Amino acid sequence: MLKTETFTLNMGPQHPSTHGVLQVVLELDGETVVQAIPNMGYLHRGIEKLAEGRTYAQFIPYTDRLDYVSSMGNNLGYCQTVEKMMGITVPERAEYLRIIMTELNRIASHLIFMGSLAIDLGASTGMMFGFRSRERILDLFDMACGARQTYTYIRFGGVSADIPSEFIPELQRFLTDFPAMLDEYHRLLTGNEILFHRLKNTGVISGQRALEIGLTGPALRASGVDYDIRKAEPYGIYDRFDFSVPLGQVGDCWDRYIIRMEEMKQSASIVAQALEQMPEGIVMATIPKVLKPPAGEVYHSIENPRGELGYYIVSDGKTNPYRLHVRRPSFINLQVLNETCQGLLIGDVVAVLATLDSLMGEVDC
Amino acid sequence: MSNLDINNSLSELQARYLEDVKIIGEEAQTALLVEPHRLLDLLELLKTNESYQFNMLRNLTAVDYLEYIEVVYHLYSLPLRQAITVKTRCGMEDSQIPSATHIWPAANFQEREVYDLLGVRFTGHPDLRRILLRDEFDGHPLRKTYNTGNAGEGGRSSC
């Protein structure tokens, strides 16, 4: 009998979809994965500790730097948590602007997902397309708040500024073009046989298992579990919009890809509805310059592109939080990597990693 | 399920646990404070019992209150659309809490994170190692007593 033994391969920390800060230690038996242990912490900045030494408002820019491809959502989740503690009501127009920005950001984030999935599997055109289209959204954000990546646009009591006059026509142009753009991606990627075979029936996660291990967001819904916080516990004004929550059946890489493609369509529809309903008016409530939430604690969560983004804040009545914890979907979703990859080939690990769509800035916090 | 129903079930629950569980939250955000030795028991019950069905562990973290560390579990019931907070406390020295990983595998990384940053040891955890900081790192930075070496940072030395 031939004597064989497993060996260890360090994947990364240069893997393309994880920006050089995730190392996966693979234990291999030939080409088959026995274990895939993620090794993180390369980006850890101690943001929760920093929060304890800053005022509530000073912390908003830090949230931008967590999941830095969907910063609008990070701003929103944090601001809503503090607003809940203080009992602040946000003006109508600002509520609509918040929805428009976060849903646009969901599209931008899913475009990055699509692009990095494509290039991870060797299709660099897919990445070009994704990034090219995302630029249109970044231009809109640039118009609204002067930044393309770290917005700090959503603030306590509203948003930092009203949109300029050229914003709405530009957004409408984008919404008109978007179906054709989506169609183009589908022709390039969804219709591609190689992509189909790489993703279909690869990395299957059952609904039951997904729930137990704490998956949220598109990765959970791909396994067929109907949990979208925008529907389950509507925050802001989400109950005013008509949209559906796409669900998968198998929970494989393919479903995780299709769900996100479908979600972009839904987000575009939410943006269109919000644009239509948005009233005129002020975009910022009158609030004290320095906030002092009453002693107590709040856990509040929103549906970010990567799943449930939650903020748990404990206040002792001072101007800075006594304790602030961020529930980061990327971090918790990564737990599923090891068991999902067991028995797969090395190339499939790339597909599983890409479709989990973890973002290391958020994992490390 | 309305808040009233869940509060009824909670009173039953308290009768079952007597002094070991206290209902401490307000009506909008229900919270239970449980003695560590009954923690797993209670979590198991909240997950599997028909009247609760808290099948999601949404969040797990801990807070240093100087005299004790409070470990906080945020649970959610998908079928009943209800949220609940469970808390338990341990001392500052020799902080130990039983691990919930066999009830919710979702607790795995989060318990490691609490261990890493706050120094709470979860007994029965399958792989309790630091997760964000390097293995040789000294101390647990989210403890209030941890010195960040930033005392000169105007007025922020308390952190």
Side-chain angles (χ1 to χ4, degrees):
Chain A
M1 182 94 177
L2 192 67
K3 186 179 168 287
T4 62
E5 51 186 46
T6 60
F7 67 104
T8 305
L9 179 81
N10 292 301
M11 195 163 117
Q14 273 86 24
H15 183 264
S17 83
T18 51
H19 312 291
V21 281
L22 174 69
Q23 179 193 31
V24 180
V25 183
L26 292 177
E27 190 190 335
L28 297 169
D29 179 2
E31 224 185 316
T32 310
V33 177
V34 179
Q35 292 231 61
I37 308 291
N39 195 354
M40 51 210 118
Y42 295 93
L43 264 183
H44 188 245
R45 297 147 289 180
I47 281 186
E48 292 180 3
K49 184 76 175 177
L50 287 168
E52 294 174 10
R54 270 132 188 94
T55 66
Y56 285 89
Q58 280 171 342
F59 187 69
I60 303 177
Y62 287 83
T63 66
D64 284 324
R65 286 149 179 85
L66 294 169
D67 177 356
Y68 41 74
V69 302
S70 24
S71 304
M72 287 288 184
N74 303 359
N75 291 169
L76 179 69
Y78 174 64
C79 289
Q80 283 189 336
T81 312
V82 176
E83 283 160 5
K84 225 180 197 176
M85 300 178 94
M86 299 281 300
I88 296 172
T89 318
V90 177
E92 281 282 295
R93 187 174 172 83
E95 288 280 20
Y96 280 96
L97 285 173
R98 285 174 170 198
I99 300 270
I100 291 173
M101 298 306 173
T102 45
E103 289 304 325
L104 280 176
N105 213 165
R106 178 183 309 275
I107 298 176
S109 170
H110 285 354
L111 283 172
I112 296 235
F113 154 77
M114 186 194 81
S116 48
L117 172 74
I119 198 162
D120 280 359
L121 300 180
S124 47
T125 318
M127 191 201 71
M128 295 301 174
F129 280 22
F131 275 76
R132 181 202 63 191
S133 312
R134 171 175 174 261
E135 280 300 304
R136 302 264 308 256
I137 297 174
L138 297 192
D139 286 344
L140 285 163
F141 290 160
D142 196 358
M143 250 181 234
C145 64
R148 304 176 70 79
Q149 290 256 47
T150 47
Y151 315 111
T152 318
Y153 179 64
I154 294 165
R155 309 270 178 95
F156 306 138
V159 297
S160 67
D162 205 345
I163 43 175
S165 55
E166 67 270 24
F167 184 92
I168 290 182
E170 191 56 47
L171 175 56
Q172 273 159 344
R173 259 195 296 282
F174 174 76
L175 290 174
T176 315
D177 296 348
F178 192 61
M181 287 149 75
L182 209 53
D183 198 47
E184 192 179 29
Y185 316 143
H186 277 304
R187 268 183 285 129
L188 178 77
L189 294 171
T190 317
N192 184 304
E193 210 166 313
I194 300 173
L195 193 89
F196 181 81
H197 285 288
R198 292 282 307 269
L199 300 180
K200 194 64 198 167
N201 291 323
T202 308
V204 178
I205 305 167
S206 75
Q208 177 64 26
R209 191 59 192 162
L211 259 181
E212 287 192 334
I213 207 149
L215 278 188
T216 46
L220 174 68
R221 294 191 286 274
S223 298
V225 181
D226 188 2
Y227 177 64
D228 185 317
I229 307 172
R230 292 173 297 174
K231 290 272 191 197
E233 301 177 297
Y235 51 91
I237 50 165
Y238 269 106
D239 46 358
R240 297 183 197 170
F241 304 106
D242 180 29
F243 65 100
S244 64
V245 177
L247 295 179
Q249 281 167 349
V250 187
D252 54 3
C253 289
W254 179 257
D255 277 357
R256 288 190 283 278
Y257 161 70
I258 290 291
I259 293 290
R260 292 193 181 89
M261 298 300 276
E262 200 54 41
E263 277 197 11
M264 287 199 263
K265 211 162 102 190
Q266 296 298 328
S267 292
S269 136
I270 297 173
V271 174
Q273 293 172 50
L275 200 55
E276 202 168 293
Q277 295 175 20
M278 186 164 67
E280 291 294 326
I282 53 163
V283 296
M284 181 58 101
T286 317
I287 54 161
K289 260 218 161 73
V290 178
L291 295 188
K292 276 191 188 175
E297 57 176 64
V298 166
Y299 175 77
H300 173 76
S301 59
I302 64 153
E303 188 69 37
N304 225 30
R306 277 163 194 78
E308 172 168 353
L309 174 71
Y311 287 90
Y312 173 63
I313 303 180
V314 180
S315 160
D316 58 354
K318 297 212 184 82
T319 55
N320 51 324
Y322 183 76
R323 168 90 169 93
L324 188 153
H325 173 69
V326 192
R327 187 244 189 242
R328 294 105 56 205
S330 295
F331 176 65
I332 295 170
N333 289 358
L334 212 49
Q335 295 193 107
V336 87
L337 182 74
N338 183 16
E339 59 183 60
T340 308
C341 289
Q342 289 174 10
L344 300 181
L345 302 178
I346 303 175
D348 298 332
V349 175
V350 181
V352 173
L353 256 180
T355 56
L356 280 177
D357 195 26
S358 275
L359 197 125
M360 299 321 286
E362 188 176 67
V363 170
D364 293 347
C365 187
Chain B
M1 187 188 238
S2 70
N3 264 332
L4 191 72
D5 291 337
I6 188 112
N7 285 342
N8 278 343
S9 330
L10 288 180
S11 324
E12 281 165 36
L13 188 130
Q14 202 180 18
R16 187 195 288 230
Y17 283 87
L18 297 172
E19 284 303 291
D20 291 337
V21 170
K22 289 191 186 65
I23 301 177
I24 53 172
E26 305 130 31
E27 220 166 286
Q29 296 220 332
T30 322
L32 302 171
L33 179 63
V34 58
E35 294 294 322
H37 68 282
R38 304 295 298 275
L39 172 74
L40 294 187
D41 205 41
L42 175 74
L43 290 178
E44 185 90 57
L45 181 86
L46 287 173
K47 185 190 176 192
T48 52
N49 190 291
E50 271 298 299
S51 2
Y52 309 111
Q53 302 183 54
F54 287 104
N55 55 351
M56 285 182 84
L57 172 68
R58 294 210 283 199
N59 183 42
L60 190 168
T61 188
V63 188
D64 177 1
Y65 285 104
L66 292 168
E67 275 134 45
Y68 54 87
I69 290 181
E70 191 166 86
V71 182
V72 187
Y73 304 77
H74 290 105
L75 312 182
Y76 188 71
S77 162
L78 210 50
L80 304 178
R81 306 264 185 221
Q82 272 285 344
I84 198 170
T85 309
V86 175
K87 299 176 166 192
T88 190
R89 290 174 183 171
C90 63
M92 300 304 291
E93 308 296 321
D94 187 38
S95 348
Q96 279 196 7
I97 295 284
S99 164
T101 41
H102 64 282
I103 304 176
W104 285 287
N108 190 325
F109 277 16
Q110 304 187 68
E111 286 183 349
R112 280 178 69 187
E113 188 187 20
V114 171
Y115 165 69
D116 191 353
L117 302 176
L118 280 133
V120 177
R121 299 211 355 265
F122 291 88
T123 50
H125 189 289
D127 183 27
L128 195 65
R129 291 179 292 125
R130 285 193 185 271
I131 190 163
L132 294 172
L133 304 173
R134 61 184 194 278
D135 294 339
E136 312 80 51
F137 194 89
D138 196 19
H140 304 285
L142 280 180
R143 289 247 177 145
K144 294 286 178 187
T145 47
Y146 181 84
N147 183 7
T148 54
N150 258 351
E153 213 183 326
R156 291 191 193 123
S157 51
S158 61
C159 69

